[in-house]
Amino acid sequence: MDFNRNIKILYVDDSSTIREMVESSLIEIGYMNIQGAEDGIEALALTVEEDYDFIITDINMPNMDGIELISKLRDTLDYMSTPIMVLTTEWSTEMKDKGKQVGATSWIVKPFDTKLLHRAILETLEKVND
């Protein structure tokens, strides 16, 4: 299944290298309406200014981590059902369960490549559109 690549994507990671890799991968896949943020605080501020259709977030970040970001987004009417994919080095069942409890839609573990990211986005969109 293929989805509209005109969706607006916010990706959040404190590592500028990872943000560049995610952006490069998203552009390669064909997503052009993208915005990066370096932590949960910046991401939360951006979601007040703009409406995003899909969010990709890391877990371990300063100021506001991904778990808190997801929780705060899920508490807002605009982001109650927005797909939120976690892209992180965290792989433990305990951490994944925390993510699910606060409302993460899907989870992939770094390192990633463009094909994995693309497949994960499509599967996440498929999950929320079923």
Side-chain angles (χ1 to χ4, degrees):
M1 179 175 256
D2 206 4
F3 287 90
N4 183 345
R5 286 189 172 76
N6 290 323
I7 64 172
K8 190 164 194 169
I9 298 175
L10 173 63
Y11 55 97
V12 189
D13 200 298
D14 60 313
S15 165
S16 60
T17 303
I18 296 295
R19 285 194 314 275
E20 288 171 13
M21 289 173 60
V22 170
E23 181 174 342
S24 173
S25 291
L26 290 171
I27 290 169
E28 184 178 332
I29 297 165
Y31 295 102
M32 299 297 178
N33 201 358
I34 57 179
Q35 172 71 49
E38 66 182 33
D39 63 26
I41 291 175
E42 182 182 6
L44 206 55
L46 288 169
T47 63
V48 171
E49 297 171 11
E50 299 279 338
D51 291 327
Y52 294 93
D53 304 303
F54 195 97
I55 297 171
I56 301 169
T57 186
D58 189 13
I59 292 296
N60 299 311
M61 299 179 287
N63 305 316
M64 181 188 295
D65 68 20
I67 296 293
E68 187 178 354
L69 172 62
I70 295 167
S71 180
K72 287 185 179 294
L73 288 171
R74 291 301 188 216
D75 285 343
T76 65
L77 191 57
D78 290 340
Y79 290 96
M80 288 177 74
S81 60
T82 301
I84 301 175
M85 182 172 69
V86 174
L87 174 61
T88 184
T89 57
E90 295 286 346
W91 55 269
S92 73
T93 302
E94 178 185 336
M95 189 59 75
K96 288 179 182 179
D97 287 345
K98 280 184 182 179
K100 285 180 188 174
Q101 288 171 3
V102 296
T105 311
S106 61
W107 194 285
I108 60 174
V109 177
K110 297 173 189 172
F112 71 95
D113 62 25
T114 301
K115 282 184 178 181
L116 174 65
L117 183 63
H118 188 204
R119 185 171 59 248
I121 290 171
L122 294 177
E123 288 172 0
T124 302
L125 290 170
E126 198 170 275
K127 185 186 296 186
V128 298
N129 286 307
D130 280 345

